[in-house]
Amino acid sequence: MSDTPDVREQFRPADHQNDHFVLTTVVGSYPKPKWLNRARDLYHGELEVSAADRASDEPRGGFDVDVDFDEANWQEAKDDASRLITNEHERAGLDVVVDGEMRRNEMVEYFAHRIAGYEFHGPVKVWGHNYFDKPSVVDEVEYDETWLVDEFEFTDGVADRPVKVPITGPYTLAKWSFNEHYEDEAELAYALADLVNLEVEKLVEAGARYIQIDEPALATTPDDHAIVGECLEHITDGIPENVRTGLHVCYGDYSRIYPEVLDYPVDEFDVELCNGDYEQLDVFTEHEFTMDLALGVCDAHVAEVEPVAEIKENITKGFEVVPPERLTVSPDCGLKLLPRKVAYGKMENMVQAAREVEAELDRGEITVGKAAPRAD
């Protein structure tokens, strides 16, 4: 974890109007434009075209049904989507942006396709009518090609704001795969951590200054928090002090991993509390919270845009744990399952709420007092 005092300040916009600064960002995923999904289907040959469409001279859905939609077309479509969503994040006013993971299909499958040692044998049913193309580790995992460097370089090139890079962590990559080679999941996770470390090093060389490790599997198996900690030691080894690192863990029983997570070598711990109406907020006041806190202040599971006043109340809940200079706010989780209009509205209102809270802090209208640590 970096001890450099201004590692967070590098993300403050030059034209920021308030003395206080509550960092605003998103967790990662964002709704894809419908045309990008059609482009994907065209590229993979999965788009069904009716006889009437084929007989017509007019393109359907913005595409010529007879075009040979090759790799170059598909790359251009992904570039256009990344540019569009990055701009959308900036229009909403976010301090740190992401391209909405426009190039990624799923948080494990995407990386497994890029790691030697993984194979795919077909989708498995996870719940209801939902299927997941769960990969299998059949051989020693090896770093075969960069995973996110091209994505970052493109996004950084079109963005006017700093860019955050979310990357699926090794524990989740191991836990959500079939292990047919390693002795146990821990051994696989440690091997994957070495590969993630290589990727992070390449991202840093490319200019990335904000890396977020996503470990949603930790919330489902919190007894493995020591394994995650060891993986993070591998990942962050050698990272320069001016690079901000965060850990995002989706909703779960945080009391089973806190305060142990305070020993993790990251700058920021990102939690999903809005979805649970902040019932677990007091977990983080039982022991002094020594990291920065990334707090979900919009519910990523509700297809309604929260009013600014409600989001402001959610932001101030974070001050029960950390002072403003150590608070980051974002939606609870990725927004990809929401209507795009709703996702944008949440971001826009969240940014406005953060700026209003900052102004009220400047005027002394908000009293900030972290809750005192409870006696054991």
Side-chain angles (χ1 to χ4, degrees):
M1 178 169 57
S2 171
D3 294 322
T4 304
D6 61 351
V7 69
R8 180 177 178 276
E9 279 296 298
Q10 66 184 304
F11 305 111
R12 180 195 288 259
D15 59 351
H16 194 69
Q17 297 181 352
N18 302 317
D19 291 335
H20 282 85
F21 176 46
V22 175
L23 178 62
T24 61
T25 186
V26 287
V27 172
S29 69
Y30 194 76
K32 288 182 171 65
K34 291 182 174 61
W35 55 260
L36 182 64
N37 293 326
R38 289 178 60 83
R40 177 202 60 207
D41 292 343
L42 275 172
Y43 175 64
H44 292 293
E46 298 172 358
L47 185 63
E48 294 185 3
V49 182
S50 69
D53 284 348
R54 291 191 180 280
S56 172
D57 292 332
E58 295 295 327
R60 297 298 182 222
F63 295 102
D64 184 340
V65 296
D66 293 322
V67 72
D68 180 13
F69 205 82
D70 59 13
E71 180 67 32
N73 295 131
W74 177 224
Q75 185 63 48
E76 182 179 355
K78 290 185 290 185
D79 286 350
D80 286 347
S82 295
R83 184 183 293 106
L84 175 70
I85 300 306
T86 299
N87 177 260
E88 197 158 301
H89 285 181
E90 292 186 327
R91 282 193 292 110
L94 293 174
D95 301 310
V96 178
V97 302
V98 181
D99 81 338
E101 302 180 0
M102 292 295 106
R103 304 173 194 276
R104 310 187 198 183
N105 50 349
E106 195 277 334
M107 68 182 306
V108 172
E109 180 184 342
Y110 178 86
F111 294 96
H113 276 297
R114 288 156 178 79
I115 300 174
Y118 272 95
E119 287 185 0
F120 289 85
H121 302 292
V124 296
K125 191 173 185 178
V126 286
W127 73 87
H129 298 288
N130 295 287
Y131 287 81
F132 163 50
D133 202 2
K134 187 172 181 178
S136 298
V137 177
V138 299
D139 202 348
E140 182 176 349
V141 292
E142 295 180 354
Y143 190 85
D144 191 32
E145 59 178 308
T146 58
W147 310 339
L148 301 173
V149 172
D150 289 347
E151 172 190 294
F152 167 74
E153 290 181 335
F154 181 88
T155 307
D156 190 51
V158 301
D160 292 324
R161 294 287 177 99
V163 174
K164 180 171 72 173
V165 183
I167 180 171
T168 304
Y171 179 74
T172 296
L173 288 173
K175 194 72 179 177
W176 291 358
S177 304
F178 294 113
N179 176 19
E180 301 177 21
H181 179 76
Y182 288 86
E183 181 177 343
D184 53 32
E185 287 178 347
E187 184 183 8
L188 172 57
Y190 297 145
L192 287 165
D194 289 335
L195 307 191
V196 175
N197 173 257
L198 286 172
E199 179 65 13
V200 170
E201 286 181 350
K202 293 183 182 297
L203 285 165
V204 171
E205 290 173 4
R209 294 295 178 266
Y210 199 157
I211 308 290
Q212 174 185 290
I213 309 299
D214 294 327
E215 288 288 15
L218 178 59
T220 61
T221 50
D223 293 337
D224 285 349
H225 59 79
I227 297 174
V228 175
E230 183 68 24
C231 287
L232 289 170
E233 292 284 353
H234 283 262
I235 294 169
T236 59
D237 183 39
I239 291 182
E241 288 187 340
N242 66 337
V243 176
R244 182 174 180 83
T245 55
L247 175 69
H248 172 67
V249 178
C250 296
Y251 188 80
D253 185 354
Y254 292 118
S255 67
R256 297 177 65 184
I257 59 175
Y258 189 82
E260 287 80 5
V261 295
L262 295 177
D263 293 328
Y264 288 174
V266 294
D267 299 302
E268 177 181 84
F269 187 46
D270 189 328
V271 294
E272 181 177 335
L273 294 182
C274 187
N275 182 44
D277 199 25
Y278 299 95
E279 291 181 356
Q280 294 192 70
L281 188 68
D282 62 350
V283 168
F284 302 104
T285 64
E286 294 181 0
H287 298 267
E288 182 181 4
F289 195 91
T290 53
M291 296 177 175
D292 286 3
L293 174 67
L295 181 68
V297 296
C298 302
D299 194 338
H301 305 280
V302 174
E304 296 178 0
V305 178
E306 295 90 342
V308 170
E310 179 181 329
I311 300 175
K312 288 173 65 176
E313 290 182 8
N314 295 343
I315 292 173
T316 58
K317 294 180 190 298
F319 300 150
E320 298 178 31
V321 182
V322 296
E325 63 269 18
R326 288 172 45 208
L327 182 66
T328 299
V329 297
S330 67
D332 257 346
C333 201
L335 300 174
K336 68 178 182 180
L337 298 181
L338 294 176
R340 187 167 149 206
K341 182 178 180 180
V342 171
Y344 181 81
K346 285 177 182 285
M347 294 190 306
E348 189 175 45
N349 281 9
M350 181 186 74
V351 171
Q352 181 179 341
R355 303 292 88 103
E356 290 185 11
V357 167
E358 291 169 350
E360 292 171 14
L361 285 165
D362 287 355
R363 296 193 297 267
E365 297 173 3
I366 297 177
T367 302
V368 176
K370 295 185 301 171
R374 301 178 189 173
D376 291 334

